[in-house]
Each structure stands twice: as structure tokens, then as C-alpha cells.
Amino acid sequence: MFGNPWIHKRMMQEGLRMTQTRMIILDVLSKRPEHHFSAEEIFIIAHRINPTIGFATVYRTLDLLTRLGVIQKFDFGDGKARYELMMGNKISHHHHLVCTGCGKIIDYTDFTDEEKELMERTEKALSEKYKFKIKNHIIQFYGLCNDCNVERR
Amino acid sequence: MFGNPWIHKRMMQEGLRMTQTRMIILDVLSKRPEHHFSAEEIFIIAHRINPTIGFATVYRTLDLLTRLGVIQKFDFGDGKARYELMMGNKISHHHHLVCTGCGKIIDYTDFTDEEKELMERTEKALSEKYKFKIKNHIIQFYGLCNDCNVERR
DNA sequence: TCCTTATTGATAATAATTCTCATTATCATT
DNA sequence: AATGATAATGAGAATTATTATCAATAAGGA
Ligand SMILES: [Mn+2]
Ligand SMILES: [Mn+2]
Ligand SMILES: [Zn+2]
Ligand SMILES: [Zn+2]
């Protein structure tokens, strides 16, 4: 069962409770840290583990974890929200290429040091200029994957 | 009435028709190039100009214009899609700060030359590495605006 | 003007997400 | 370990943004 002390502590601080359902949902997410889960996918798997879990609770939990910064919520344009664990041990922070032809999502993490450094500088500059406390960011490139680009001739 | 020759030509090429309704919707968007329109907002204004315009057509047109790259579609997390003209004469391409407290959206265009150049290099590198034809991109920073950050103490 | 067909408006249908409320489970305290 | 305040849950109804359907209309090439 999922037992991340950082998350647990964080919840306690906020007066929240670490319930079975929340642990199961975190478990589901942590088993495939590279996957872009829809709420329904999470519900189906969690429900298989514990059939008493309801759909509404999955939504509530995903919303909570997003607010806590434990997971990140994405919109890839297919009409449903997608979720990913933010602290996936290996994958860590990354961005996405979104194919508008077939919906394929490509993760990419290969930042150069230069890129990382520039992002940090940009964030700092924006924070100061707009008095805006930045918590996280999303970068998505839209276009056509190789398959979709080829078949278009 | 909106008469952008580039858009008109582009549509003709694709066998599309430049209709009254499409011109009115483009008009609405071009009148406030800095605004983040919801479909409903556009419908209301367009409908005031020509009460025969229907809601479904607004959605269809927004979808079409997005596919053509004339407008850009955004998700700022409030449950409805937002649209902006891409070729706003002055504003041009820009990114967003999204306040998760009150939903306020701040545009920012102030890229350094370094940033612009790096984005281009990154796009090129990604295109080659992943054989992915990039059409556009979205960058959003999430966090708290000044008002929301202050009142949190 | 005529003809082909892309487009439209009205409306029903769909589907993701949120709300309601009675019941249950968590956890600090005893 | 038992208690109690209340955060959390599940079931299902409700909401709401977006799509699909289909007969009627209008764009634009000839
Ligand atoms: Mn990812
Ligand atoms: Mn904007
Ligand atoms: Zn594709
Ligand atoms: Zn705010």
C-alpha cells in the first residue's frame, strides 16, 4: 500500500485524513507514473481493488491531490481530464507533445541545463513583475506525430 | 465586417466557405483580441448581431478556426474552453499566468530574445528527435495572484 | 441564374463532472 | 481499547459543456 510520509504529513497538517480510498488511488497512480490516467481509468482499477469505492470519491480525491500538488491535472483536448503523479521517482517533471491527429501523447524530459536554468529565471522574473506566486507550470506542443504526418500525403 | 484575406484564402483552398456567421464570429473575436472568450460569450454577442445564429454553429466554427490555426483554444481549469485570435495584430503570441485562487488570467508577452531563441531551438530539437511536426505550443504558469496570495494570511 | 454541396439552426443526445445527503471511518483524546 | 467530533464516503440525481442528427438554407463556381 502507498505510504509516502511526505504526503501523509502534508495531509495531517491540513486537517485531512489519510483514508483507505486515498491510499488506493495513490497506489494506482504510483504503479504507472508515466501513464496519463483519466478519472474513469482510475475508478475502474481502484474499484477492482476495493469494489466499495465510488466514482464521486475518485473525482474528489483527484481534485484534492491536485490542490495539494501531489498530482498534476492535464487537458490534452480529448474532453476528459488526465492525471499524473508529480513525484514519480524517476520520471520527475516533464512536458508533452500532443498529436492532434490521433491523440498520442509523448513525454519528454530531456531538458538541457540551459533550458532548466532559463525556466527558473523566467519564473522568478514573472513572479516579481506580476506579483504572482508560481506553483507549477505546463508546457505542451501541439502538432502531428510521425504516423499522422506520413499518412497525410 | 471582418475580412482577413489570409483567412479567406486559406478557407477557399480547403473547399470551405466564408459565411456570414463565420465572419461575425471572427469579428467578435477580433474586437477584443486580448480577451479569453468562452463559447457562450461568443454566442451571446454574435447572436445580438444576428439573432438567427445558433449555438451549435458557434461551436462548429470555433472548432474549425482552431483546426485552421486562426484561433487558439485554451483550458484554464474552469470547466469551459476559452478562445483567442492568434493573429491579434499587436498582442501576437503570448503565454498565461493562471490564478488557481480566483481564476484570473494574466497575459505575458515579454520574452527575452534569449527565451525566444531557446524556444525555437527546443522546438526544432523535439521535432527531429520525435519525428513530430509542431504546429503551436501552450505555456501556462499556475499559482496565486497578488490578491489571492495576500488574503491567505 | 442554376446547381452542387458545404453549412446552418433547432433540438435532442451525450458524457464528464459536481452536488446532495444520509451513513461511515478516521484519529485525537480519553 | 473505547469515545466523540467531524472529515470523508457512496449512491445516485443533477448539472452543464459539448456533440450528433437532420431537414432546410445559402455560398460560390459555372
Ligand atoms: Mn506525462
Ligand atoms: Mn491570452
Ligand atoms: Zn498522431
Ligand atoms: Zn487570484
Side-chain angles (χ1 to χ4, degrees):
Chain A
M1 183 63 65
F2 196 84
N4 183 313
W6 182 80
I7 298 177
H8 196 283
K9 190 174 155 198
R10 184 79 198 293
M11 298 188 98
M12 291 301 104
Q13 287 173 340
E14 306 270 343
L16 303 169
R17 295 171 184 181
M18 180 50 80
T19 66
Q20 287 300 314
T21 300
R22 286 174 181 171
M23 280 193 277
I24 288 173
I25 289 173
L26 279 166
D27 226 23
V28 170
L29 285 159
S30 66
K31 282 274 167 47
R32 296 180 64 192
E34 83 296 339
H35 188 63
H36 308 109
F37 286 98
S38 68
E40 188 182 21
E41 285 177 322
I42 293 171
F43 167 71
I44 290 173
I45 300 173
H47 191 266
R48 212 151 50 211
I49 296 169
N50 180 343
T52 71
I53 292 175
F55 216 144
T57 302
V58 171
Y59 272 106
R60 281 185 292 235
T61 302
L62 291 173
D63 187 53
L64 177 72
L65 294 175
T66 300
R67 276 185 281 117
L68 289 176
V70 172
I71 65 179
Q72 198 167 12
K73 180 179 183 176
F74 295 98
D75 169 46
F76 295 137
D78 67 343
K80 56 191 78 173
R82 302 277 168 176
Y83 303 85
E84 250 186 308
L85 207 54
M86 285 225 67
M87 36 199 41
N89 313 344
K90 351 184 162 168
I91 322 291
S92 77
H93 184 68
H94 63 272
H95 299 148
H96 297 106
L97 305 179
V98 182
C99 178
T100 54
C102 66
K104 187 193 298 173
I105 309 293
I106 299 173
D107 290 340
Y108 80 93
T109 65
D110 27 59
F111 286 115
T112 64
D113 288 340
E114 185 191 14
E115 281 173 290
K116 277 186 226 157
E117 190 204 321
L118 178 59
M119 274 310 283
E120 280 170 29
R121 247 186 302 139
T122 302
E123 268 190 35
K124 177 163 291 187
L126 288 171
S127 286
E128 288 170 3
K129 174 159 187 183
Y130 295 104
K131 304 266 190 303
F132 194 97
K133 184 172 180 56
I134 293 176
K135 294 283 181 56
N136 60 28
H137 66 255
I138 284 179
I139 300 183
Q140 294 174 355
F141 292 92
Y142 289 86
L144 292 175
C145 74
N146 195 32
D147 296 343
C148 291
N149 198 32
V150 166
E151 81 186 21
R152 178 173 291 270
R153 328 206 169 188
Chain B
M1 182 62 66
F2 195 84
N4 183 313
W6 182 80
I7 298 177
H8 197 282
K9 190 174 154 197
R10 184 80 199 293
M11 297 188 98
M12 291 300 105
Q13 287 172 342
E14 306 270 344
L16 302 169
R17 293 171 185 181
M18 181 49 82
T19 65
Q20 287 301 312
T21 300
R22 285 173 183 173
M23 281 194 277
I24 288 173
I25 290 172
L26 280 165
D27 226 23
V28 170
L29 285 158
S30 67
K31 281 275 167 45
R32 296 180 64 190
E34 83 297 339
H35 188 63
H36 308 108
F37 285 99
S38 68
E40 188 182 20
E41 285 176 321
I42 293 171
F43 168 70
I44 289 173
I45 300 173
H47 191 267
R48 212 151 50 212
I49 296 170
N50 180 345
T52 71
I53 291 175
F55 215 146
T57 301
V58 171
Y59 272 106
R60 281 185 293 236
T61 302
L62 292 173
D63 187 54
L64 177 72
L65 294 174
T66 300
R67 276 184 281 116
L68 288 177
V70 173
I71 64 179
Q72 197 167 11
K73 181 179 183 177
F74 295 97
D75 168 47
F76 294 137
D78 67 342
K80 55 192 78 173
R82 302 278 168 177
Y83 303 86
E84 250 187 307
L85 207 54
M86 285 226 67
M87 38 198 41
N89 313 344
K90 356 191 158 164
I91 322 289
S92 76
H93 183 69
H94 63 272
H95 298 149
H96 297 105
L97 304 178
V98 182
C99 178
T100 55
C102 65
K104 186 193 300 172
I105 308 294
I106 299 173
D107 290 340
Y108 80 93
T109 65
D110 27 59
F111 286 115
T112 63
D113 289 339
E114 185 191 12
E115 281 173 289
K116 278 185 227 158
E117 190 204 321
L118 178 59
M119 274 311 282
E120 281 169 28
R121 247 185 302 137
T122 302
E123 268 190 35
K124 177 164 290 185
L126 288 171
S127 286
E128 288 169 4
K129 174 160 187 181
Y130 296 103
K131 304 266 190 303
F132 194 97
K133 184 172 180 57
I134 294 176
K135 295 282 181 57
N136 60 28
H137 67 255
I138 284 179
I139 299 183
Q140 294 174 355
F141 292 92
Y142 289 86
L144 292 175
C145 75
N146 195 32
D147 296 343
C148 291
N149 197 30
V150 165
E151 81 185 21
R152 178 173 289 273
R153 329 210 168 183

